[in-house]
Amino acid sequence: MAHCSTPEAEAILDKEFPVLDKGFVRLVDYLGTDERVVQAARVSYGTGTKSYREDAGLIDYLLRNSHTSPFEQVVFTFHVKLPVFVARQWVRHRTARLNEVSGRYSVMKDEFYVPAPQDMALQSTDNKQGRSAEALDPALAEKTRAALVEGQKAAYASYKSMVDEGLARELARINLPLSLYTEWYWQIDLHNLFHFLELRMDAHSQKEIRLYAEVLFEIAGKVAPRCCESFRRHFLGGARFSGEELAELQRRLGTRDGGGELSGKALERFEEKLKSS
């Protein structure tokens, strides 16, 4: 199969998916689909040689057993508009290629992120790097939002004045706040996108980047739906056990196969216990 595409992915090319108050994610291009993953795993070129169920089973097997190279055959190019503080978290994932708008060459836009009132919260008492789950008092939230907007306006007015007076743009930009919106093209393969999503869709991740991750997952699901469904079940909706935890699980179930693994019947009983709990 020379080229893989899906009508669902073609339909959303260049469509902006809004995130936060002024941001978005846009699928610029993609290479490969579920079929490309299956082809790479089987090292074959024909189509229709296996059923949908068999292909889905193969994808499940690859993902669960960390056979990741076939997933690297699927590549996405995204156009993303995001606040600078989100971008700084994002680039910690270094297994991608990106090109960001340059404040040395371009005059930055007067666009800043302001959290919604329901997203304003105090520092968590049990999480040193996160906010409390309880929203801020409405009056205090509005007061804080107003202070943020005032600071952003002052910073941008100073920046624009320096630019208009001829100061080098690379110097004028240095006092702009982290809430400033930036844009980039971000290219990543499906294997590394899954790693990004596993971390950034987690409940412990900062909400702002989590919202971007959820949109990325939605878009990826249009390109490689079977891969994304497998990822959802095994990583987003699954659990991994340490050796000690697995041993305890086996002990409580009371059944192992000859190789020390959970038997099929034991797994069935475990799944039934999970359903009934």
Side-chain angles (χ1 to χ4, degrees):
M1 190 174 184
H3 177 68
C4 296
S5 64
T6 68
E8 292 80 8
E10 296 294 314
I12 64 169
L13 283 175
D14 291 328
K15 176 184 176 182
E16 290 186 5
F17 289 75
V19 190
L20 302 182
D21 54 351
K22 304 177 186 72
F24 63 76
V25 176
R26 183 168 66 91
L27 179 63
V28 176
D29 200 2
Y30 68 97
L31 172 69
T33 62
D34 288 326
E35 285 70 27
R36 180 66 74 229
V37 173
V38 170
Q39 290 168 3
R42 294 194 174 115
V43 197
S44 65
Y45 298 95
T47 60
T49 56
K50 299 289 182 180
S51 70
Y52 180 97
R53 183 172 181 178
E54 287 174 311
D55 285 350
L58 174 58
I59 288 170
D60 262 356
Y61 174 82
L62 295 170
L63 202 60
R64 290 184 66 178
N65 291 278
S66 299
H67 297 305
T68 57
S69 57
F71 298 97
E72 295 172 8
Q73 296 291 319
V74 180
V75 180
F76 304 84
T77 301
F78 297 103
H79 177 196
V80 186
K81 181 178 178 181
L82 67 172
V84 170
F85 74 90
V86 175
R88 298 293 79 84
Q89 294 177 351
W90 198 304
V91 294
R92 292 181 63 79
H93 301 268
R94 297 179 292 275
T95 52
R97 295 159 292 282
L98 69 85
N99 193 60
E100 185 176 3
V101 62
S102 173
R104 299 182 67 195
Y105 294 99
S106 305
V107 176
M108 303 304 293
K109 297 177 182 178
D110 184 8
E111 294 183 320
F112 298 87
Y113 169 62
V114 181
Q118 64 269 23
D119 291 329
M120 304 293 291
L122 297 175
Q123 178 66 41
S124 172
T125 57
D126 58 1
N127 181 356
K128 293 183 179 180
Q129 63 177 7
R131 72 194 79 173
S132 168
E134 184 178 351
L136 209 60
D137 173 78
L140 181 55
E142 284 304 326
K143 179 182 177 181
T144 307
R145 279 166 45 84
L148 290 173
V149 171
E150 182 180 355
Q152 292 165 353
K153 287 182 176 179
Y156 192 81
S158 175
Y159 162 75
K160 192 64 168 57
S161 175
M162 287 186 282
V163 169
D164 292 343
E165 290 171 358
L167 186 70
R169 288 184 292 272
E170 67 179 23
L171 295 174
R173 66 179 176 164
I174 63 178
N175 272 3
L176 289 172
L178 292 174
S179 55
L180 179 75
Y181 270 92
T182 185
E183 297 183 37
W184 62 31
Y185 268 40
W186 189 63
Q187 187 180 80
I188 191 166
D189 65 63
L190 185 57
H191 164 217
N192 286 295
L193 178 62
F194 280 162
H195 180 63
F196 176 95
L197 295 175
E198 183 181 6
L199 295 176
R200 297 305 179 179
M201 290 179 74
D202 186 88
H204 295 91
S205 184
Q206 185 166 346
K207 180 177 181 179
E208 283 78 9
I209 196 170
R210 192 166 71 243
L211 293 175
Y212 278 94
E214 289 169 357
V215 171
L216 290 171
F217 183 56
E218 178 184 353
I219 293 174
K222 305 292 186 183
V223 176
R226 280 174 281 178
C227 291
C228 287
E229 173 58 20
S230 183
F231 171 76
R232 184 191 64 76
R233 289 188 293 107
H234 296 300
F235 288 85
L236 299 183
R240 280 176 276 185
F241 301 102
S242 68
E244 293 83 358
E245 290 167 339
L246 184 58
E248 177 62 17
L249 177 61
Q250 292 170 332
R251 184 189 69 79
R252 293 192 182 193
L253 290 173
T255 307
R256 302 186 184 193
D257 66 13
E261 300 294 333
L262 290 172
S263 70
K265 289 184 178 180
L267 282 171
E268 288 176 8
R269 290 202 303 272
F270 180 50
E271 289 173 354
E272 288 301 319
K273 288 183 179 180
L274 288 177
K275 290 177 183 178
S276 61
S277 63

